[in-house]
Amino acid sequence: MPATIITATSGKGGVGKTTTVANIAVALALYGKRVVAVDADIGLRNLDLVLGLENRIIYDLVDVAEGRCHLRQALVPDTRVGSLFLLAAAQTRDKTAVTPEQMQAICAQLRTMADYVLIDSPAGIEHGFQNAITPADRVLIVTTSDVSALRDADKVIYLLERDYQCQPALVLNRNNPRLVRNGNMRNIDDVLDILAIDLMGVVPEDELIVLTTDRGEPAVLDKRMVAREAYLNIAQRIMGNNVPLMRFEKRGFWARLFSR
């Protein structure tokens, strides 16, 4: 079966899209799927850092598009998860260095090499967004519940539905149950009412997530992480399995301490 290509986008930067792509990619690989994670954010690559593969990159997406190397030469294997590979973005070029047609051609080759291809789209709705969306079979909207992120997500959903006849699904990131209970953060139903798309998963806020991304160790590999279960569940849903949302009950100090 050819690979399913899934693009994660957001509109607004800083909502945790790259971290989400990295962790879902690792989760799918842990379930035995062959996965290629593609960084489409040319000029501002970060997916390699989150995956901890930055020191192993020789060739990148632009090198493949311009014929300086074969696609297989540019795929960086993750030795912690044997069936995961990274195709990194170029740091010294801009987003116009690759066309949507070239991205289509590269993804057509990747379809024969993997079960899933996850594309990390750059923020915004310009050329880089078009590159990332054009080859996608499915699109994930990654957003937090703050008003500016939701406004940008809503704009992206409108463009996807109008121009690409695409029905995206939602990953709500950094959900804080305490703030929701106190009325200081929109709850899941409020966000769904605003965006009016299907829910793929909810990732709880976890204060350790910054440490894992700085170390290049995806949260899904650390059993202490609160967000780990959410990423594993999203991977299950992507594979077509019916998995309930994780529980967001209030947890006391001792429960949190012993869980870590």
Side-chain angles (χ1 to χ4, degrees):
M1 294 258 324
T4 300
I5 298 179
I6 303 171
T7 295
T9 188
S10 59
K12 185 178 186 295
V15 296
K17 175 174 47 59
T18 298
T19 300
T20 300
V21 169
N23 280 282
I24 294 175
V26 173
L28 287 167
L30 288 174
Y31 286 126
K33 302 300 181 182
R34 295 171 300 160
V35 184
V36 178
V38 180
D39 191 342
D41 196 358
I42 299 170
L44 294 171
R45 76 180 188 205
N46 283 303
L47 188 55
D48 58 319
L49 292 173
V50 180
L51 288 170
L53 299 175
E54 68 275 12
N55 294 324
R56 301 179 56 197
I57 296 170
I58 299 175
Y59 298 109
D60 55 49
L61 179 64
V62 175
D63 291 324
V64 177
E66 296 182 348
R68 282 189 292 275
C69 70
H70 295 296
L71 177 57
R72 289 188 182 275
Q73 291 177 284
L75 296 179
V76 180
D78 189 326
T79 56
R80 298 162 300 185
V81 190
S83 57
L84 173 63
F85 297 84
L86 168 69
L87 178 56
Q91 273 190 300
T92 57
R93 303 289 293 275
D94 63 33
K95 294 173 177 59
T96 61
V98 175
T99 67
E101 292 74 23
Q102 288 172 321
M103 195 71 172
Q104 275 276 35
I106 291 170
C107 287
Q109 294 182 65
L110 289 175
R111 285 186 189 276
T112 67
M113 302 178 185
D115 298 308
Y116 292 96
V117 176
L118 268 65
I119 301 176
D120 183 15
S121 170
I125 53 175
E126 305 303 329
H127 186 88
F129 168 80
Q130 297 170 21
N131 282 346
I133 293 299
T134 297
D137 302 310
R138 302 164 68 179
V139 177
L140 298 178
I141 300 291
V142 181
T143 186
T144 58
S145 61
D146 66 273
V147 64
S148 58
L150 290 175
R151 173 185 285 179
D152 288 356
D154 191 50
K155 176 65 174 181
V156 170
I157 292 166
Y158 168 75
L159 292 176
L160 289 171
E161 293 176 343
R162 186 192 69 180
D163 299 337
Y164 298 91
Q165 291 73 54
C166 172
Q167 292 294 323
L170 173 67
V171 175
L172 179 59
N173 200 25
R174 297 177 190 155
N175 182 68
N176 187 315
R178 180 179 59 83
L179 294 180
V180 171
R181 284 192 299 271
N182 294 341
N184 294 319
M185 176 179 281
R186 291 173 184 82
N187 63 33
I188 298 169
D189 289 336
D190 290 338
V191 173
L192 291 175
D193 286 342
I194 293 169
L195 299 182
I197 58 174
D198 292 337
L199 180 64
M200 182 62 71
V202 179
V203 180
E205 188 171 51
D206 192 328
E207 67 271 15
L208 295 182
I209 202 82
V210 174
L211 300 179
T212 65
T213 54
D214 283 351
R215 293 195 301 259
E217 299 173 1
V220 77
L221 294 175
D222 189 340
K223 293 183 178 180
R224 301 172 300 165
M225 298 294 295
V226 176
R228 179 177 185 267
E229 180 184 347
Y231 292 126
L232 291 171
N233 288 349
I234 292 170
Q236 286 274 8
R237 295 185 194 106
I238 286 173
M239 293 187 294
N241 300 321
N242 187 12
V243 181
L245 285 178
M246 63 185 293
R247 297 174 62 187
F248 294 100
E249 74 276 10
K250 185 175 181 180
R251 305 176 72 205
F253 170 77
W254 292 109
R256 293 196 305 272
L257 178 64
F258 284 114
S259 73
R260 296 192 187 283

